[in-house]
């Protein structure tokens, strides 16, 4: 194996990382039991599908087994966004996606992000723009500094469950409108 976790290391996990590992294992186990829903959306031969799910489970376990306090994160802006949103909204689900690679920026940049925040704190906030304002306020420091663009999906747990049940995916971010040669030259 490429990664061995000692007993001392395994006791240093944050509660969120332990939950993340459990969630990933539960998701992968449920996919192994009933893969038909996901396979309908992503048709692959069965052996390739199960192999992909197994790789996802191993990678999730590896990531979850690393202690957050052992080293400086490889992507500090992403880590800061994740920490602030976790603290502010106590989300049932949180995904921070670095979409910088889709834009005309240097490799490993942290300038363009999509966040998916599912929180019961949004239950009393019907207007999406108000939810977005709360998220932008929580990330004000990042938005004033390194983050150039932020795409936001903010849902209540009920909305999220309905979205999943209906088979709706998270909407794709818009294509880059600059730096790709599509804009007229000045």
């Amino acid at each position: 194996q490429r990664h061995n976790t000692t007993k001392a290391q395994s006791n240093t996990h944050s509660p969120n990382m332990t939950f993340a590992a459990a969630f990933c294992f539960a998701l992968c186990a449920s996919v192994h039991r009933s893969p038909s829903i996901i396979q309908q959306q992503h048709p692959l031969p069965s052996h390739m599908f199960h192999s992909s799910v197994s790789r996802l489970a191993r990678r999730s376990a590896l990531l979850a087994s690393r202690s957050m306090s052992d080293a400086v994160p490889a992507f500090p802006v992403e880590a800061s966004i994740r920490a602030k949103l976790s603290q502010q909204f106590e989300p049932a689900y949180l995904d921070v996606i670095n979409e910088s690679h889709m834009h005309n920026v240097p490799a490993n940049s942290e300038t363009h992000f999509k966040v998916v925040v599912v929180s019961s704190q949004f239950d009393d906030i019907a207007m999406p723009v108000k939810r977005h304002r709360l998220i932008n306020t929580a990330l004000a420091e990042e938005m004033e500094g390194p983050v150039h663009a932020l795409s936001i999906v903010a849902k209540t747990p009920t909305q999220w469950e309905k979205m999943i049940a209906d088979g709706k995916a998270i909407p794709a971010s818009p294509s880059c409108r600059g730096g790709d040669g599509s804009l007229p030259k000045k």
Side-chain angles (χ1 to χ4, degrees), residues 17 80 125 164 169 186:
M17 291 304 286
S80 176
I125 305 169
I164 299 296
K186 293 182 179 181

Side-chain angles (χ1 to χ4, degrees), residues 13 15-27 57 60-65:
H13 307 321
N16 289 340
M17 291 304 286
T18 304
F19 173 78
F23 177 78
C24 288
F25 285 123
L27 175 65
S60 298
L62 174 65
L63 292 173
S65 70

Side-chain angles (χ1 to χ4, degrees), residues 54-100:
S54 295
R55 274 194 309 268
L56 173 64
R58 284 193 304 274
R59 180 162 168 72
S60 298
L62 174 65
L63 292 173
S65 70
R66 294 181 182 162
S67 171
M68 295 293 282
S69 62
D70 287 347
V72 175
F75 296 99
V77 177
E78 181 177 340
S80 176
I81 290 171
R82 187 174 304 282
K84 287 180 179 181
L85 294 176
S86 293
Q87 182 180 14
Q88 180 75 29
F89 298 103
E90 300 174 355
Y93 178 83
L94 173 64
D95 199 3
V96 177
I97 305 161
N98 185 344
E99 297 183 329
S100 301

Side-chain angles (χ1 to χ4, degrees), residues 89-154:
F89 298 103
E90 300 174 355
Y93 178 83
L94 173 64
D95 199 3
V96 177
I97 305 161
N98 185 344
E99 297 183 329
S100 301
H101 67 279
M102 297 166 48
H103 302 274
N104 189 23
V105 295
N108 298 319
S109 291
E110 292 188 285
T111 56
H112 297 72
F113 287 91
K114 174 184 281 189
V115 296
V116 180
V117 183
V118 179
S119 175
S120 58
Q121 292 183 25
F122 298 140
D123 285 340
D124 297 329
I125 305 169
M127 294 180 61
V129 71
K130 289 185 179 183
R131 296 175 186 178
H132 290 206
R133 286 181 184 145
L134 289 173
I135 291 170
N136 278 318
T137 299
L139 302 177
E141 185 179 348
E142 288 77 9
M143 294 303 293
E144 289 175 10
V147 177
H148 167 74
L150 182 65
S151 173
I152 299 171
V153 177

Side-chain angles (χ1 to χ4, degrees), residues 1 4 8 10 15 59 85 137 166 181:
Q1 287 209 356
N4 292 323
S10 67
R59 180 162 168 72
L85 294 176
T137 299
D166 292 347

Side-chain angles (χ1 to χ4, degrees), residues 34-55:
S34 116
S36 60
I37 293 171
I38 293 176
Q39 280 182 300
Q40 288 170 0
Q41 294 176 5
H42 304 286
L44 286 173
S46 182
H47 71 283
M48 290 177 65
F49 177 77
H50 288 289
S51 174
S52 296
V53 170
S54 295
R55 274 194 309 268

